Amino acid sequence: MKSQIAALIMAAAAVSPAIADTLTVKSDAPKRYVVKKGDTLWDISSLYLRSPWKWRQLWQKNPQIDNPHLIYPGDILSLGLDENGNPILIIDKGVRKLSPHVRIIAEKGTAIPTLPLSVLEPYLSYDQALDKDDLAEFPIVLGSDKNFKMSITGHLLYVKGNLLQGGNYGIYRQGDAYKDGSRTLAYETVLVGTARALKSGNIEDGIPSTVKVEAVKREIKAGDFLMPLPQGQDLKATFKMSKPSQPVEGAIIASSNKHSEFGPLSVVVLNVGSEQQLVEGSVLDILRQSPTVVERNGTPKYLEDSSSLDKLIGDIGSWFGEENSEDSTVWHMPSEKVGELMLFKVYDNISYAMVMKTTQPIQVGDSVTN
């Protein structure tokens, strides 16, 4: 099997070396693969390509595919060559004879998502990154029908705001600030519960809206704010994976699990967004800065292991752009790639992304680039 795939790749390279340079199929890629429920587009892309975001190139001349991002459980993918000798994936359709039985491909249902939808759903449905001005505009909880400091499921809440009767709302609390250095980019919103509006208020006449609490994640307090929940809308499950063409320099500024280190399928927050021409589906590399070394009198040491004097020399040199002296040299080592992530929710200057691949645990502060 592997020798057949290797021959396939060599043939493609011989006919079109330019394409082979940009689209290299793995030597151990399966010649035939049956899509299963639970698969993601990233998983399948990774079976065939070391650079999963180049998936569209593998499908680009496939006349069978109306939308290369829609693949369904039961589809049978076959690796072949197009008329120019370039690697291509095709879908075997219809009835496949598998002796001694005949297998009929099931009618298509829900397309497989690009990323695990169970992980993304809370962020697509509920979580938001909002600035201070946005937060001030939302209706707030004034109190409950019972003289309790905190409310639970079944309680009625009175809300300062003209809500839509019958509408469904998420109840949120302001969370941590997302900071880029000392600059606050946005604030985390923490979902504390959901509610349905029973009566629409009229704030101009001093009449609050009334909502009934339908679900609680944590106790609801006065001052929590409400935002409408999307109704009757399908969650976005497919994304056009792509590497940005323009330079991108950013960093991971927060993680959803609040841990110091995290791995694949973790959701992180970045300090870049649409202002950097990023979109949902953008794929970025995660880089880790290698430790600085101070060489003093011919003896190299990591900066954290150096003497206070060496650290001072390094700091002063950084300030003035002169990091070397007659007996001390500061070596700034390069950054190394430690993983990849994909953006799935993009704001002006902040984004949510999922870590897809790592070679070591990812940390807040790691940089991202294309």
Side-chain angles (χ1 to χ4, degrees):
M1 176 69 73
K2 289 187 178 180
S3 61
Q4 293 174 326
I5 298 297
L8 189 68
I9 297 167
M10 290 177 64
V15 175
S16 181
I19 292 182
D21 288 341
T22 59
L23 182 63
T24 302
V25 177
K26 288 182 175 180
S27 59
D28 60 349
K31 190 174 180 65
R32 181 176 178 275
Y33 182 77
V34 179
V35 180
K36 304 183 297 295
K37 185 177 180 180
D39 281 343
T40 66
L41 186 56
W42 184 282
D43 294 335
I44 296 177
S45 303
S46 299
L47 288 176
Y48 289 93
L49 302 171
R50 297 192 184 280
S51 302
W53 57 89
K54 295 180 179 177
W55 178 252
R56 282 185 292 174
Q57 295 183 42
L58 200 58
W59 292 83
Q60 61 182 346
K61 294 184 179 180
N62 188 343
Q64 292 180 311
I65 308 301
D66 296 326
N67 185 334
H69 307 286
L70 296 182
I71 302 173
Y72 299 82
D75 282 343
I76 302 174
L77 309 180
S78 295
L79 182 62
L81 299 174
D82 67 11
E83 65 275 10
N84 296 317
N86 302 317
I88 187 174
L89 273 178
I90 61 175
I91 290 183
D92 292 340
K93 293 188 174 182
V95 177
R96 303 285 296 183
K97 189 173 182 180
L98 302 177
S99 181
H101 302 289
V102 174
R103 177 174 182 265
I104 300 177
I105 303 302
E107 185 177 345
K108 294 190 187 309
T110 303
I112 64 170
T114 306
L115 303 178
L117 195 56
S118 60
V119 179
L120 297 186
E121 185 174 4
Y123 301 93
L124 297 174
S125 299
Y126 300 111
D127 285 37
Q128 304 282 338
L130 302 172
D131 63 30
K132 201 70 174 178
D133 292 338
D134 290 334
L135 292 169
E137 295 297 321
F138 290 109
I140 64 169
V141 174
L142 296 171
S144 170
D145 60 332
K146 299 177 174 61
N147 189 17
F148 293 154
K149 296 289 190 275
M150 294 177 289
S151 299
I152 59 174
T153 302
H155 281 193
L156 298 182
L157 301 179
Y158 302 114
V159 177
K160 180 184 176 182
N162 299 329
L163 304 184
L164 177 65
Q165 185 174 354
N168 291 285
Y169 292 85
I171 307 171
Y172 296 85
R173 186 169 302 146
Q174 179 180 318
D176 297 334
Y178 292 134
K179 289 182 172 289
D180 183 13
S182 60
R183 184 167 68 111
T184 297
L185 300 177
Y187 289 89
E188 175 188 19
T189 59
V190 180
L191 180 72
V192 296
T194 60
R196 183 168 55 87
L198 301 181
K199 297 179 182 179
S200 179
N202 189 327
I203 298 305
E204 290 73 17
D205 293 337
I207 302 173
S209 295
T210 303
V211 302
K212 182 178 181 180
V213 178
E214 297 197 329
V216 171
K217 293 188 66 177
R218 59 185 72 182
E219 292 85 353
I220 300 167
K221 302 178 181 179
D224 290 340
F225 61 94
L226 282 75
M227 289 191 290
L229 293 177
Q231 296 296 313
Q233 300 178 15
D234 293 332
L235 295 178
K236 183 171 183 178
T238 57
F239 302 86
K240 294 182 179 180
M241 296 182 290
S242 63
K243 276 278 190 176
S245 57
Q246 73 287 349
V248 176
E249 299 294 336
I252 297 173
I253 60 173
S255 70
S256 61
N257 58 20
K258 310 295 184 182
H259 296 167
S260 58
E261 295 184 333
F262 32 89
L265 303 188
S266 297
V267 173
V268 297
V269 182
L270 312 180
N271 62 350
V272 288
S274 59
E275 290 182 356
Q276 290 74 35
Q277 300 179 47
L278 295 174
V279 296
E280 295 169 351
S282 293
V283 177
L284 299 175
D285 292 338
I286 307 171
L287 302 183
R288 172 79 45 79
Q289 177 64 54
S290 300
T292 299
V293 171
V294 175
E295 181 186 6
R296 183 171 173 79
N297 297 323
T299 302
K301 291 183 179 179
Y302 290 120
L303 183 60
E304 59 266 27
D305 298 330
S306 302
S307 66
S308 299
L309 176 60
D310 289 332
K311 292 180 181 178
L312 181 61
I313 292 173
D315 290 339
I316 294 176
S318 297
W319 296 337
F320 292 97
E322 299 176 358
E323 300 182 346
N324 302 332
S325 63
E326 291 183 1
D327 58 356
S328 181
T329 302
V330 179
W331 295 93
H332 292 292
M333 301 307 180
S335 297
E336 301 293 345
K337 181 177 176 179
V338 294
E340 295 172 350
L341 52 74
M342 197 199 86
L343 280 62
F344 65 86
K345 198 169 189 178
V346 178
Y347 299 91
D348 291 344
N349 55 10
I350 201 170
S351 300
Y352 288 98
M354 178 175 284
V355 176
M356 301 307 305
K357 183 168 67 174
T358 66
T359 58
Q360 54 184 287
I362 306 303
Q363 301 173 356
V364 171
D366 286 342
S367 58
V368 294
T369 184
N370 59 328

